[in-house]
Every structure is written in C-alpha cells, then in structure tokens.
Amino acid sequence: MRRILVVGVTGAGKTTLARALGGRLGVPCHEMDALYFNGPGWAVNGRLAEDVSSLVAEPGWVFDSLGCPEVRDLLWDRAGTVVWLDYPRRVVMPRVLWRSLRRTVTREVLFGGNRETWAGWLSREHPAWWAWSQHAPRRREIGRRASDPRFAPLDVIRLGHPKDTAAWLASL
C-alpha cells in the first residue's frame, strides 16, 4: 500500500485514519478540505486540479476524501488501495455533531483560516447537515465506484465499524 484513498461519509474519521496510515507507512498524508478551502470566507482553491495532480504523481501518499468532483477520477485512477469507512448514521452523526460543537465553541482555526460559527449551523453546507443529507448518496457513490470495472485493479477494503477499522489498522 503506497497510494491510498480513505473514503467515507462526513464524520467517519477519514482524516484521522489517513494520518495514522501515513505515519505508519511513511508516506505523506493530504487532507482534501485543506487543499480545497484555501482562503478566508471558505474560498475555493482555483488550482485544485493542478495541485492534486502533482501530489498524486508522487510514489506514495494518502488522501482523506472521495474527492471533489473535479479531482475524483484522478484520485481513483492513481490510487492502489481504497479504504472505505462505511459506517452507519448512528456512528457518524454523534461524531460530526461533537466535532462541530467543539470547533464552534473553541473557535478552532480550520482550512484557509476559517472557523465554524454558530450561524453556520443554520446552513445546508454545515458539516452536520451535510453528513445527514449526504450519508446515503455518498455511500451509493462509493459503492458504485468500488464495483466499477474501471477501478477493478484497486484493492478496496470496506470497514463497517470503528472497531473493524482499529483491528485492521493494528494488523498492519
């Protein structure tokens, strides 16, 4: 495993697992949200495709995302392994709610210098709303890709619960 894509719904723990894999395997870990949001006001990186293209050209890496539409195929084409955190809503929602609450209360600085705000909780773009509304569509999209003959060479590791993920990671 040298080129790994960690996928799943919002709040599944993609970044945490990606960092652990990167550290364990000695390959760089790239956080998609940090590449995508690169400025104040949640500004979007206009060079995202070029930035991701140069990163996936490297011999080893871990990305923590299904991939934004403009780079999704590039990531899936270049990966060797996809680790799918296929967790149910009952696992994901408490995680994403707690994370967003913590980030809002502590005013944690996120990607591009942005922060989650109390007003942001009312937006459909807020991670909690996004996690709820996109859970089923995201799972279907990942399932379609995992079974797509175009991506047949990929080693897809599907993990259904955090305990499965912990055991898998410990086995490496």
Side-chain angles (χ1 to χ4, degrees), residues 48-107:
L48 180 66
E50 293 88 358
D51 292 349
V52 171
S53 184
S54 70
L55 294 170
V56 298
E58 297 297 320
W61 44 261
V62 180
F63 266 91
D64 71 342
S65 176
L66 169 62
C68 306
E70 59 267 37
V71 297
R72 191 167 294 157
D73 284 345
L74 176 63
L75 288 167
W76 282 72
D77 286 337
R78 299 291 302 199
T81 303
V82 172
V83 180
W84 180 6
L85 302 180
D86 188 19
Y87 300 165
R89 270 197 181 117
R90 71 179 183 281
V91 170
V92 172
M93 289 310 300
R95 289 173 158 209
V96 76
L97 288 167
W98 175 248
R99 180 184 72 185
S100 284
L101 181 61
R102 176 183 48 79
R103 286 176 172 178
T104 303
V105 168
T106 65
R107 308 246 331 118

Side-chain angles (χ1 to χ4, degrees), residues 130-146:
W130 187 259
W132 183 264
S133 68
Q134 294 301 307
H135 189 272
R138 182 63 49 104
R139 287 180 80 208
R140 283 192 301 270
E141 169 71 12
I142 296 168
R144 275 193 302 272
R145 285 182 170 272

Side-chain angles (χ1 to χ4, degrees), residues 6 16-17 19 24 69 76 79 88 96 99 102-103 108 138 141-142 144 157 160 165 171-172:
V6 179
T16 300
L17 179 59
R19 287 179 182 152
R24 187 162 293 192
W76 282 72
V96 76
R99 180 184 72 185
R102 176 183 48 79
R103 286 176 172 178
E108 181 179 336
R138 182 63 49 104
E141 169 71 12
I142 296 168
R144 275 193 302 272
I157 301 162
T165 303
S171 75
L172 295 180

